[in-house]
Amino acid sequence: MVSSAQAREKYDQLVDRYEEIFFYVGDTGRRLIEFAAPPPGSRVLDVGAGRGAVTRAALALGCSVTAIDASPKMIERLVEDHPEVTGVAMDAAHLDFTAGSFDLATAGFVVQILDEPAVVLAEVHRVLAPGGTVALSLETQSVGRLGWFQELTLEFFAPATSEPVSPPPADTEASPGPMTHDRLDALLAETGFLDIERAPVEMPVPIADPPALWDWLMPRGLAEIQETLPADRRAEFRTRFLQGAQTMHDDGGITLDFAATLHRARRP
């Protein structure tokens, strides 16, 4: 989880490349609004709006949208693109709106980066009108066939330790760790939401060959982490990466299996 200050700094830097790097947000934003199904004229609060993937889909249905984000630059660019949107830089844990102000609150790929998701959900519950809907998307974290890449990055970048690392415990309400769909549904119920539903979204991305996988990952964090290595280790890392990717390519092709869940619930 990250603090609001960390999120603001990160997304301010990504404002020009956000939907290029996070390629799946546009399509998932549209699907999230379809899942929420707001009628025309609905008052929508888009939390963590980014460059406007969910906002655009809501506007297309004739909704009135208020977009908030921790990143002032994201909001500035969003309002430039869509002047009809009310855009405000705001901390999602402290929503500056009166109770019952909205018919629908959305958050596309936001809950998994919050340091206090329960606090944000409580605020969302407060600003929704009775009978209002919350709709959230959550990225599903799975290594899948990229297990070799995880092992390679651990070998090159994890700090050395003399003690074996125990696997994390299974996800429970008492154990910390990445947000899961079960935990998110439990948080929604604890916050007081009813009629909780969810739906899966699959987003496979085929990659042509090992060099293409390297090029695809570079602007998505690989460039930054490899720069932390000395030149000889950096060259070794790239060689080993291409070898691992070639094995994956020969064993059924390179496909990145991104997935998400959509969550919907009602405020009583």
Side-chain angles (χ1 to χ4, degrees):
M1 303 303 177
V2 299
S3 68
S4 297
Q6 290 171 319
R8 184 183 305 113
E9 180 179 358
K10 174 183 178 181
Y11 292 109
D12 272 352
Q13 294 172 354
L14 295 177
V15 65
D16 292 321
R17 300 181 297 144
Y18 181 74
E19 290 195 17
E20 173 189 348
I21 294 174
F22 302 102
F23 64 94
Y24 44 80
V25 298
D27 183 58
T28 310
R30 176 184 56 78
R31 296 191 194 195
L32 184 63
I33 288 297
E34 290 176 354
F35 188 57
S42 294
R43 301 167 298 166
V44 176
L45 173 64
D46 189 11
V47 177
R51 288 302 307 277
V54 176
T55 290
R56 292 193 300 270
L59 290 172
L61 291 183
C63 298
S64 172
V65 181
T66 298
I68 71 164
D69 199 284
S71 165
K73 290 185 179 179
M74 286 283 190
I75 287 296
E76 180 181 348
R77 291 292 296 276
L78 174 55
V79 173
E80 286 177 1
D81 293 340
H82 302 282
E84 67 273 38
V85 171
T86 299
V88 186
M90 187 181 297
D91 181 356
H94 302 91
L95 298 178
D96 191 18
F97 304 109
T98 59
S101 296
F102 300 98
D103 306 303
L104 169 65
T106 61
F109 298 121
V110 172
V111 288
Q112 67 261 35
I113 65 170
L114 297 172
D115 53 344
E116 295 181 299
V119 173
V120 173
L121 289 178
E123 276 289 88
V124 166
H125 187 280
R126 180 183 65 80
V127 301
L128 278 173
T133 299
V134 60
L136 314 167
S137 58
L138 176 68
E139 186 175 352
T140 301
Q141 300 185 7
S142 175
V143 174
R145 294 178 62 232
L146 281 174
W148 63 269
F149 180 50
Q150 182 184 62
E151 293 174 2
L152 185 65
T153 54
L154 286 173
E155 177 185 339
F156 276 77
F157 301 104
T161 176
S162 59
E163 297 294 330
V165 178
S166 301
D171 182 70
T172 66
E173 294 311 302
S175 64
M179 180 68 72
T180 67
H181 48 244
D182 287 336
R183 184 177 171 216
L184 179 53
D185 283 350
L187 284 174
L188 287 167
E190 291 169 8
T191 306
F193 286 101
L194 303 176
D195 303 332
I196 300 168
E197 301 177 76
R198 73 184 182 215
V201 174
E202 296 183 357
M203 302 169 283
V205 179
I207 303 291
D209 53 33
L213 179 61
W214 177 270
D215 292 342
W216 192 89
L217 288 170
M218 282 294 280
R220 294 168 172 84
L222 185 58
E224 289 82 358
I225 65 168
Q226 68 147 359
E227 286 299 321
T228 65
L229 297 172
D232 58 336
R233 289 282 285 169
R234 193 157 61 242
E236 181 186 357
F237 175 75
R238 188 175 191 277
T239 297
R240 295 270 303 280
F241 174 94
L242 293 175
Q243 290 172 347
Q246 186 63 52
T247 299
M248 183 180 183
H249 183 268
D250 295 341
D251 185 24
I254 302 173
T255 300
L256 307 182
D257 297 318
F258 290 93
T261 50
L262 307 181
H263 299 250
R264 179 178 61 197
R266 178 179 60 85
R267 183 201 187 282

